[in-house]
Amino acid sequence: MRVYFGAIAEGGVSVSLSRDGRVLSCVEGGGTDDLLALLERALKSAKSDTSVIRELAVDRGPGGFSNVRRRVAVATALARSLGADIAAVGEMKPEEAAAIPSSSFAPRGTVAPIYAGEPNITISKKKKTWIAR
């Protein structure tokens, strides 16, 4: 089974499951939604579990820092913990992700995120501590 973590409009995220080029389930959430909870909902909808995940595709951007970082980190950690292959892709529909050739996936692969801009992290003038803006 293949999992795709993708971006949707207005900073949202989608998690889709596919097998043999056919989308089995797709759930969407807000940008701050827990990706693993969305994956759990998608697996429940497809009447499956994590033991059958063999490939993960992740939209690596460009996009907002937090959203891209969250997708890439969760996909990479999940792929390594499950021993699944991973592929870094651009924004695509779940049907397109289902059609990615298996040769595009790599075991213990790395995903280089693409951010829309540099993160804006500065030191607070009042508290003398680092804050993100």
Side-chain angles (χ1 to χ4, degrees):
M1 181 175 294
R2 179 178 295 172
V3 175
Y4 170 60
F5 291 110
I8 58 173
E10 299 187 23
V13 66
S14 71
V15 177
S16 64
L17 303 174
S18 61
R19 182 180 291 127
D20 300 326
R22 198 177 101 242
V23 176
L24 304 174
S25 175
C26 184
V27 295
E28 296 180 350
T32 59
D33 283 1
D34 181 355
L35 289 173
L36 294 177
L38 292 174
L39 175 59
E40 185 177 346
R41 280 182 35 211
L43 286 165
K44 186 175 181 181
S45 173
K47 297 182 175 120
S48 194
D49 61 30
T50 57
S51 67
V52 297
I53 296 173
R54 299 288 176 256
E55 297 172 330
L56 283 107
V58 59
D59 175 357
R60 67 183 188 134
F65 179 76
S66 295
N67 289 336
V68 172
R69 179 179 50 108
R70 184 180 302 115
R71 281 194 312 269
V72 169
V74 169
T76 302
L78 190 59
R80 292 197 176 168
S81 68
L82 297 174
D85 296 346
I86 191 165
V89 299
E91 184 178 346
M92 57 181 57
K93 296 178 182 173
E95 296 80 13
E96 295 169 319
I100 299 169
S102 290
S103 61
S104 299
F105 292 81
R108 298 192 60 82
T110 59
V111 176
I114 301 172
Y115 302 117
E118 289 295 318
N120 185 4
I121 302 172
T122 61
I123 191 164
S124 169
K125 290 179 174 76
K126 292 180 183 177
K127 298 181 182 177
K128 300 293 182 199
T129 59
W130 290 96
I131 58 170
R133 294 186 191 251

